[in-house]
Amino acid sequence: MNSAPESLAPCAVQEEKSRGRQFPEPPPAYRGEYQRDRDRIIHSTAFRRLVYKTQVFVNHEGDLYRTRLTHSLEVAQIARTVARALGLNETLVEAISLAHDLGHTPFGHAGQDALNKCMQDFGGFEHNLQSLRVVDELEAKYADFPGLNLTWETREGILKHCSKRNARNLGDLGKRFLNRHQPSLEAQLVNLADAIAYNNHDVDDGFRAGLLTLDQLCEQPLFRQHYDDVHRSWPKLEDRRLIYEIIRRMIDHVVTDLIDNTSAVIALLSPVDINAVRKYEKPMVGFSEPVKEMHGALKQFLHENLYRHNRVCSMNEKTKSMIDLLFGRYMADPDEMPTSFSEQENASDADRARVVADYIAGMTDRFAAAEHKRLAAK
Ligand code: MG
């Protein structure tokens, strides 16, 4: 059964032309294949853990900050709106959006950097590749196959970036990185929906935390433009409400631009099918130049003023020492991990390190902190 709307664009992913699943399965009776992917993602353990994983602010810093789960829901919301407007496969973009951060470590990017350092001699650690590993191998839920056995198209969308070295080990899925081909429009879209979501919610969270001020934000052209409009209409609006109103307008502004610009690009290039999308020299989904510039400037601003803020960085230092200790201890004594991870007879150092990395990457912030406390006291 095909769940795709009738108005699907010819260059969208067509479910009946899917490259299928690694382990063939009979089609679902009342759902489409991408609906089934989405449902498997929602039922996965890794998805439930996202609620206790840091986006920027560590989970215990406050109840109102974004977590990886709420971030993923915001990405899905934005991506679905755009997909529907452009006639792209909405169910597929939802599945990719909900899965795109499944491979993230505890403690946000600091956690990933720390784990990557620990894994330097063993092939490194990269959260994108880990998201794929989660859905391909680590979720042990089905009797017939390892992982979630998702369709090729969902897996393609999850693997946003990949080094050439890793791409060579990924068979068909890695080919596009070697051939410099583009992914589906649905995958391109989720990539931008991700950036739209974090650019906006990080302004909100950064302001809430007192790390970003209104004066600073007003130096950003995108913010300033909407600040002026809102301020003109409601000069006495309290700050919190003002910020919400501005963010709401910024999201609408960039999403509308993304739809208008992409739709113009598609009309101009008129790709006959997804192969034309893949072979084009650059992604077809994108902002207009002025919005690309403002959106990029805001992203840069957040890098400099929020992600590298002293308070965020001091947390990052703590994170690094926690991950270092966990990694060292589990490597030295695998029995400190549950038996499903510790039973590795005759495994090489690299194999053992990968298992340790899988175990640590799967942890929530609070579980990692509790494990750190337990092992540090030994
Ligand atoms: Mg994300």
Side-chain angles (χ1 to χ4, degrees):
M1 179 180 161
N2 193 340
S3 65
E6 283 172 27
S7 57
L8 210 57
C11 52
V13 169
Q14 318 283 330
E15 190 171 305
E16 62 278 11
K17 291 187 187 148
S18 170
R19 296 198 199 174
R21 302 174 188 275
Q22 286 177 296
F23 302 87
E25 293 181 62
Y30 297 106
R31 292 175 292 174
E33 296 289 356
Y34 303 130
Q35 272 180 293
R36 172 142 81 176
D37 280 0
R38 177 204 57 202
D39 298 349
R40 286 184 178 179
I41 291 157
I42 289 176
H43 286 277
S44 70
T45 314
F47 185 72
R48 286 198 298 283
R49 287 195 186 119
L50 294 178
V51 74
Y52 296 112
K53 287 196 180 196
T54 292
Q55 182 67 25
V56 173
F57 294 92
V58 177
N59 202 234
H60 63 247
E61 288 188 80
D63 290 344
L64 292 177
Y65 296 118
R66 266 67 175 188
T67 66
R68 291 258 171 231
L69 181 67
T70 60
H71 162 71
S72 301
L73 296 175
E74 289 183 32
V75 174
Q77 178 272 313
I78 290 167
R80 287 180 63 185
T81 300
V82 180
R84 193 177 289 201
L86 293 173
L88 301 182
N89 199 313
E90 185 181 345
T91 317
L92 175 61
V93 301
E94 186 182 15
I96 299 171
S97 300
L98 295 179
H100 87 284
D101 272 353
L102 289 180
H104 264 290
T105 60
F107 309 122
H109 278 281
Q112 125 125 3
D113 292 348
L115 193 53
N116 187 28
K117 278 215 177 85
C118 295
M119 287 294 288
Q120 221 155 34
D121 296 335
F122 311 107
F125 178 88
E126 206 273 307
H127 70 84
N128 244 279
L129 204 56
Q130 190 69 10
S131 296
L132 189 68
R133 228 172 122 66
V134 167
V135 301
D136 279 359
E137 293 177 46
L138 299 179
E139 282 286 325
K141 285 245 168 355
Y142 299 89
D144 286 338
F145 43 77
L148 305 178
N149 197 30
L150 302 182
T151 60
W152 194 92
E153 293 74 26
T154 301
R155 296 171 61 237
E156 175 193 40
I158 293 173
L159 193 64
K160 192 161 63 170
H161 313 290
C162 180
S163 67
K164 287 204 167 165
R165 182 170 54 88
N166 287 327
R168 283 188 201 99
N169 301 323
L170 288 171
D172 209 20
L173 205 64
K175 266 190 193 154
R176 79 174 165 93
F177 299 98
L178 304 172
N179 299 340
R180 296 178 158 270
H181 283 169
Q182 308 303 326
S184 68
L185 294 173
E186 285 78 359
Q188 296 178 24
L189 165 56
V190 175
N191 196 9
L192 285 179
D194 186 21
I196 294 173
Y198 64 65
N199 247 10
N200 285 284
H201 64 49
D202 289 349
V203 166
D204 183 25
D205 283 353
F207 185 77
R208 183 191 311 284
L211 304 187
L212 301 175
T213 64
L214 255 185
D215 284 348
Q216 262 181 315
L217 286 165
C218 278
E219 285 167 21
Q220 283 306 305
L222 186 61
F223 188 93
R224 180 72 202 213
Q225 186 179 331
H226 295 289
Y227 172 87
D228 287 344
D229 287 348
V230 177
H231 192 65
R232 205 173 301 122
S233 308
W234 294 280
K236 291 191 179 134
L237 205 60
E238 64 190 275
D239 281 359
R240 271 263 38 115
R241 209 160 160 188
L242 174 75
I243 291 275
Y244 277 133
E245 183 61 34
I246 294 168
I247 290 174
R248 183 177 86 77
R249 289 169 184 234
M250 289 201 299
I251 296 176
D252 185 61
H253 182 163
V254 296
V255 166
T256 305
D257 180 85
L258 182 63
I259 294 169
D260 292 346
N261 188 65
T262 305
S263 137
V265 170
I266 291 175
L268 184 73
L269 299 169
S270 39
V272 287
D273 59 14
I274 190 171
N275 290 323
V277 169
R278 292 189 186 287
K279 287 184 181 148
Y280 192 57
E281 62 196 20
K282 57 183 185 184
M284 291 185 191
V285 179
F287 301 117
S288 68
E289 271 312 313
V291 166
K292 188 178 168 188
E293 207 167 290
M294 289 195 289
H295 176 82
L298 182 57
K299 187 172 172 171
Q300 182 64 26
F301 165 82
L302 289 168
H303 264 279
E304 284 162 14
N305 297 283
L306 183 62
Y307 312 143
R308 287 186 213 147
H309 192 285
N310 282 344
R311 219 177 91 196
V312 174
C313 287
S314 73
M315 204 55 227
N316 292 353
E317 279 305 307
K318 276 187 214 154
T319 295
K320 195 184 164 315
S321 70
M322 277 204 232
I323 301 276
D324 281 350
L325 183 132
L326 291 180
F327 188 85
R329 292 294 182 89
Y330 296 140
M331 279 301 276
D333 187 359
D335 287 339
E336 293 291 354
M337 296 186 288
T339 43
S340 55
F341 288 89
S342 62
E343 284 172 347
Q344 330 156 21
E345 276 173 42
N346 304 323
S348 67
D349 276 359
D351 289 344
R352 284 195 308 129
R354 185 59 57 192
V355 170
V356 170
D358 286 340
Y359 184 52
I360 294 176
M363 292 178 179
T364 60
D365 291 6
R366 62 183 184 179
F367 183 71
E371 271 295 273
H372 175 261
K373 199 170 166 195
R374 178 180 77 83
L375 291 170
K378 273 196 164 181

